[in-house]
Amino acid sequence: MQASDIPLELDKLTWPEARDAAERGAGILLTVAATEQHGHHLPLGTDAITGQAVALRASVGLDLVVAPVLAYGYRSRPFSGGGQRFPGTTSLRGCTLVNVLTDIVNEFRRTGFRRIALLAHHMENQNFVYEAAYEAVGPEQTDGTRVMIIESPYAEFSPELAAELYPDGPPGRGLDHAAVVETSLMMYLHPELVRTDRMADDAPPRVPRYDMLPIPDGFTSASGVLSQTVTATPEIGHRCFDEITACLHDLLQDGLFSDLESDGNVAGA
Amino acid sequence: MQASDIPLELDKLTWPEARDAAERGAGILLTVAATEQHGHHLPLGTDAITGQAVALRASVGLDLVVAPVLAYGYRSRPFSGGGQRFPGTTSLRGCTLVNVLTDIVNEFRRTGFRRIALLAHHMENQNFVYEAAYEAVGPEQTDGTRVMIIESPYAEFSPELAAELYPDGPPGRGLDHAAVVETSLMMYLHPELVRTDRMADDAPPRVPRYDMLPIPDGFTSASGVLSQTVTATPEIGHRCFDEITACLHDLLQDGLFSDLESDGNVAGA
Amino acid sequence: MQASDIPLELDKLTWPEARDAAERGAGILLTVAATEQHGHHLPLGTDAITGQAVALRASVGLDLVVAPVLAYGYRSRPFSGGGQRFPGTTSLRGCTLVNVLTDIVNEFRRTGFRRIALLAHHMENQNFVYEAAYEAVGPEQTDGTRVMIIESPYAEFSPELAAELYPDGPPGRGLDHAAVVETSLMMYLHPELVRTDRMADDAPPRVPRYDMLPIPDGFTSASGVLSQTVTATPEIGHRCFDEITACLHDLLQDGLFSDLESDGNVAGA
Amino acid sequence: MQASDIPLELDKLTWPEARDAAERGAGILLTVAATEQHGHHLPLGTDAITGQAVALRASVGLDLVVAPVLAYGYRSRPFSGGGQRFPGTTSLRGCTLVNVLTDIVNEFRRTGFRRIALLAHHMENQNFVYEAAYEAVGPEQTDGTRVMIIESPYAEFSPELAAELYPDGPPGRGLDHAAVVETSLMMYLHPELVRTDRMADDAPPRVPRYDMLPIPDGFTSASGVLSQTVTATPEIGHRCFDEITACLHDLLQDGLFSDLESDGNVAGA
Amino acid sequence: MQASDIPLELDKLTWPEARDAAERGAGILLTVAATEQHGHHLPLGTDAITGQAVALRASVGLDLVVAPVLAYGYRSRPFSGGGQRFPGTTSLRGCTLVNVLTDIVNEFRRTGFRRIALLAHHMENQNFVYEAAYEAVGPEQTDGTRVMIIESPYAEFSPELAAELYPDGPPGRGLDHAAVVETSLMMYLHPELVRTDRMADDAPPRVPRYDMLPIPDGFTSASGVLSQTVTATPEIGHRCFDEITACLHDLLQDGLFSDLESDGNVAGA
Amino acid sequence: MQASDIPLELDKLTWPEARDAAERGAGILLTVAATEQHGHHLPLGTDAITGQAVALRASVGLDLVVAPVLAYGYRSRPFSGGGQRFPGTTSLRGCTLVNVLTDIVNEFRRTGFRRIALLAHHMENQNFVYEAAYEAVGPEQTDGTRVMIIESPYAEFSPELAAELYPDGPPGRGLDHAAVVETSLMMYLHPELVRTDRMADDAPPRVPRYDMLPIPDGFTSASGVLSQTVTATPEIGHRCFDEITACLHDLLQDGLFSDLESDGNVAGA
């Protein structure tokens, strides 16, 4: 295996280099992000920017090619992204997303890649990413391709970091949108893109156990921030980034490069 | 409002009765279930059977019509249903499911219903159900239709019941498949369909934080049961059913019949 | 072959039982019905209710698994179902129906079934059911799968019964909708669902040799009943049911279990 | 109204002439045919050739524009066209056909036509043609467009002609494929395209009440002719043509130019 | 090889003749045309009429079957056909066209043809025709099928003819629509369809290097003619036809019947 | 109008900033690029990298927001990109691309943008980009939206530059792929991504007037370079960049911000 400290980006490789990577058994990783509102203080590209940064760092030390990020993802939902009434959010229909990803996975295989990872770096992409992988390769082994689907990639943070992030406990699934973790990550990675003067805590007036369409007025916050934000700092962002990328690195090592078939029993047999 | 102790089932109404229900403002509820393996002891129809039973009971006391259950849902995934390698599991592609539900919601509206609820009684239907509602009605209000999307309907169980169900703590998201809750529910609702002699605890050899396709042998249990099962009893099923349906009843009351627009702020304004 | 008096229902089987049925060569039968107006006296579920009852009875004595009925079918047409202007009728687009059925047939094959029957128990499903089978298996033999498409399943009734049903001769193709046969069947199978006080003959003002969209006012009856109804009785329903299910039983025996290739010549050779 | 003895063909009109026709209320007629085997003696284009001839003749005396025939239709079925195993048969998938026709109807409306007729001159196009019209205009009136769907256009032949055509009675639905009527029509319209030396009666070995895919060898005739043929003559063809076109003429007059709304009651009201 | 002076038209062949042609290695040619405005003097069918005439003549001396022309193509664009605001223009959506052509190519292969040519005789069909061929056969050789895609088929005219056609130089890509070449061709092939009294030069007020939707008023000519027309004559049409068909004949000979694999190097190797 | 020297990038804006830009009438520009082989010396991302650089520079001085580049485009074709047999090329199906772009244009409109530009920076995207715009907004004006489609954006180079680039004349449409212009641009913009030691002239063995699928070996060059390359320099790249961006700037100014309706006549009127 040939890995390096400098992650290989598909768009910077020539075609013979991409072919050689595939032939020697390198993996390929696609980040499936979104263009989505992130409050008054974070840019619309937050998911794509942080997602690709995470992907590149997590790949260090693995024989992995990182494909151009898909900056357009599934529609935002009220309790994980504020929902599709915010201007600026620019989304794909579910079936469009499935088709885009199916095509891309098929093309990775045409190039010769057999270790493929899809990283959903936008909660709403869940299931659509899985479906695309299913459409491309199905449930039964054929040519040795494996498609790894990472839809909730991050480790639980370490107890120390979690305590600092959420002194009152985590805000609930999806509600960390545009909040302390994402803000801290952006402050660490791209401080010039954070409007720190406009950081403010916010929350949806109510968070029922259901969704509703058309989106009722009270089902999201006015700012698009879904929980506490003002405690964000670059230092916290640094620590989050390190924990997240270390976790993802291990997942990728395990999913793409371990010997999967030897450790279990046979489903449905 | 006109509600009754006997839930109205769409397939048992004549068309003038359906028209009248829609005209007086009744809601309509569609259970989106699955035909999916549930181990050696539960039948393939478990999701549809328990889902529709829950829907009917939860509707008591509400002015709600219950539509014929959709017994075919999205593909099973390894860590929430064993995955698509088990014989008997009979699933739809993601975009097929989106289209079926979009069509049905549009037809409910053609009939005149403006209060529509979609109950995803199969975890993998998540997001596809939401997308169908979005395709049908979009994000902005037009004719007063509201589509309620219930994708994780159940309340946290009461502490007493939870302690009894999971003495060692809950098994993790999705892993209660074909396990103590579903088995108990079926023992309560349809004891004749439970092969009690074949009940056995089981678990996937490993539960990584990612999915993989094609499905590796070790990514599910051999039986299709994903956690502890043998403690199931009809009495527990009875208590689960009561807590679940009470919770869903309140959700439906809140989502379909409350005044949504008056309680919040305006998204993206 | 292993057949029984108690038809096997897919949703009541465990996955190992479904696998075993497929492995020993059992067939599988899917009823493709509709949710459609049936006048002021019959419920919207008439096609699904009678269709599945017919399927279950006709399967007695055959090694056949009966799948959950598909309660949503193609759109109603004026001269065979009253057309898509009646409230309550809840239909799928043609291509949605094709895709649902294609998916289900493919899943039956994944489970291992090679003898598959699709019973269109709603006249308008015609051609869409055939197309789905074609999309799934194509025209040329590969793995021994046979998909039987039953779009007009019923035998001519016996002369005695026909004379009793239609003293003035049959009403014309499609026009027996919600009329004497369906009403009698429901009176026999589910008398509690027939509003006998609202039974009345009716007919479209005109029945031209063409269809029209949007549907003109005069192209259907006001009630949704398309011909004579009031002569219906449970006894007639009983006799219809017996003749229909005997006929279907023979068709299924012939189509799924006979040796098809030995009796003919080669198309296009 | 402006009608003439020379039917107007869309492909021979200039755009201002097409616009003027639409503006004055002319209708437009599209023949939806097929490229399909018609035995050893008739050409693959029989449906398109006779269909368009019928359309043009039936239009004489009506203010009707005839669009270019669609020569590719839905797949052939064994008992109405021999099925999709014959070489030369060149068909569209069902959903492709629906989309083609939906697009064309929408374009007719963009041009300004409000009286649109679709003539399915290939039995298997049935339902797909209706669905396309539904997708284009739906069930409820909006801008005055009417789409007439003619799926089984021909009158019963006169008793004299019928007796001559079928001395032993008609061969059953669909089985007149490539047989006495079509052969006679082609002998009358295009004698140079009929291989009279290869005319021969034929029939499928069996005609069960169901279809099967893949197509069993015995489910069609070897030649593709489905019933008696050798009695065909140009004179019979002439008489068939006259009866058919007179009937279609009256249908078109009735469907496109009569006052539909004044003659009936209101569906679902 | 068996070729003749009389081109073989698929719709005039019987199925055994089509089978025999495919078996002996004949090619098949489909003209993909349009129904599109061609000014005040040429009919809407100009692309289909001239395209099929060219196809038939170019096939003389080759073993080629000519399929029924597809008279409906992709939407007209302002600078190559006047755009989709002219009445009479009757077009397909891009994906509909791709699907129609994919289906037809697949059916040609089912019949046994391995030499398939698609002639885009409407500039806007470009890329959609290629995509259909790709969807049908893909990039890598399998069963010896070759699909030739001819999207800009015509040779440069001879210097003498070009000088006569365009004394001031050619009008620019696409702008010869409904102008001197097409008019001359129609005067030669179908003089009865040319309204010579309405021939007039015309041109879009502006021809920017971009397109715009919705189509601005100034982006096409009022008549639909896009450049100089009045110099058209039947004699010029004759010479154009001879040069065009000779060129296309050579292309077809080269593309369908030459030994392609022996003359080059291996892409991406 | 509010324009600036620093182009606004959508992914760096917050949602209120995107909303404000749309409200004040700013335009939005999406580059539709590709991931495609560019010989042994240029990276796979050449189209996306140079396309977005061109878009950003051309926007200087206009009130324009630049959206995240779409790095995946339509399939490569042999004579404009080497074709879909090169490893590394990662493409979308035609209909997938149409759907992605339709969705994005619809979302731009939801945000409030009414001046939308699509820049096809990959020759094969042609027509698919137009079709997406058509699907989104259609031919007739409604809400004032204009979608500008730029499929061949570049001006003719100045005579001096053209003479230097192509001493022997331009190589023909599409054949400048991975050749002197693209190489020079990359040497100017991203010299670190050009493998200058592997620059070499190359050309397809033959360039017939047609395409072929599957792709014959001789239909592209071995390297993927389609014409002369070795004369490329950063200085030429600088001059190309300046001419290209000046031209595109003027196009954008004209197409998005001029008063289109006042300068022409009415199509089809």
Side-chain angles (χ1 to χ4, degrees), chain D residues 41 183-196 234:
Chain D
H41 67 294
T183 304
S184 297
L185 281 172
M186 285 297 286
M187 291 171 96
Y188 168 59
L189 294 168
H190 286 281
E192 78 284 5
L193 294 178
V194 184
R195 284 70 164 167
T196 46

Side-chain angles (χ1 to χ4, degrees), chain D residues 46 53 79 82 87 104 137 150 162 186 194 208 228 239:
Chain D
T46 295
F79 305 121
I104 291 176
V137 300
I150 316 169
M186 285 297 286
V194 184
Q228 154 244 338
R239 289 163 60 195

Side-chain angles (χ1 to χ4, degrees), chain D residues 40-255:
Chain D
H40 289 238
H41 67 294
L42 291 180
L44 295 160
T46 295
D47 281 1
I49 292 167
T50 59
Q52 193 72 339
V54 161
L56 286 166
R57 168 67 67 85
S59 301
V60 172
L62 300 172
D63 191 15
L64 210 47
V65 176
V66 178
V69 64
L70 186 64
Y72 302 96
Y74 181 61
R75 314 189 209 255
S76 180
R77 293 181 58 164
F79 305 121
S80 48
Q84 211 68 18
R85 285 178 65 184
F86 283 92
T89 300
T90 307
S91 309
L92 304 180
R93 284 173 289 173
C95 293
T96 302
L97 180 58
V98 169
N99 286 329
V100 169
L101 296 174
T102 303
D103 289 3
I104 291 176
V105 171
N106 281 331
E107 287 286 81
F108 288 163
R109 294 176 85 191
R110 194 182 57 73
T111 284
F113 289 108
R114 292 291 173 268
R115 306 175 196 267
I116 299 171
L118 303 176
L119 170 63
H121 203 264
H122 167 62
M123 186 181 265
E124 289 90 339
N125 289 339
Q126 212 175 358
N127 268 356
F128 299 111
V129 174
Y130 184 85
E131 171 67 349
Y134 194 99
E135 286 286 302
V137 300
E140 296 290 345
Q141 200 46 260
T142 52
D143 66 350
T145 297
R146 56 172 86 175
V147 183
M148 182 184 178
I149 302 108
I150 316 169
E151 292 183 331
S152 48
Y154 299 164
E156 305 293 324
F157 290 114
S158 64
E160 302 75 35
L161 181 52
E164 201 163 342
L165 286 168
Y166 311 119
D168 307 322
R173 191 159 187 271
L175 294 176
D176 47 4
H177 183 80
V180 63
V181 173
E182 290 193 297
T183 304
S184 297
L185 281 172
M186 285 297 286
M187 291 171 96
Y188 168 59
L189 294 168
H190 286 281
E192 78 284 5
L193 294 178
V194 184
R195 284 70 164 167
T196 46
D197 55 322
R198 285 178 245 156
M199 282 167 60
D201 297 348
D202 203 350
R206 22 182 336 218
V207 184
R209 298 181 70 87
Y210 58 86
D211 252 305
M212 185 74 76
L213 284 165
I215 305 169
D217 289 345
F219 270 44
T220 192
S221 67
S223 70
V225 170
L226 301 191
S227 60
Q228 154 244 338
T229 300
V230 294
T231 53
T233 68
E235 291 70 31
I236 292 179
H238 193 158
R239 289 163 60 195
C240 289
F241 189 70
D242 285 350
E243 293 200 7
I244 288 167
T245 54
C247 168
L248 181 59
H249 177 97
D250 292 348
L251 290 186
L252 290 165
Q253 169 69 51
D254 183 62

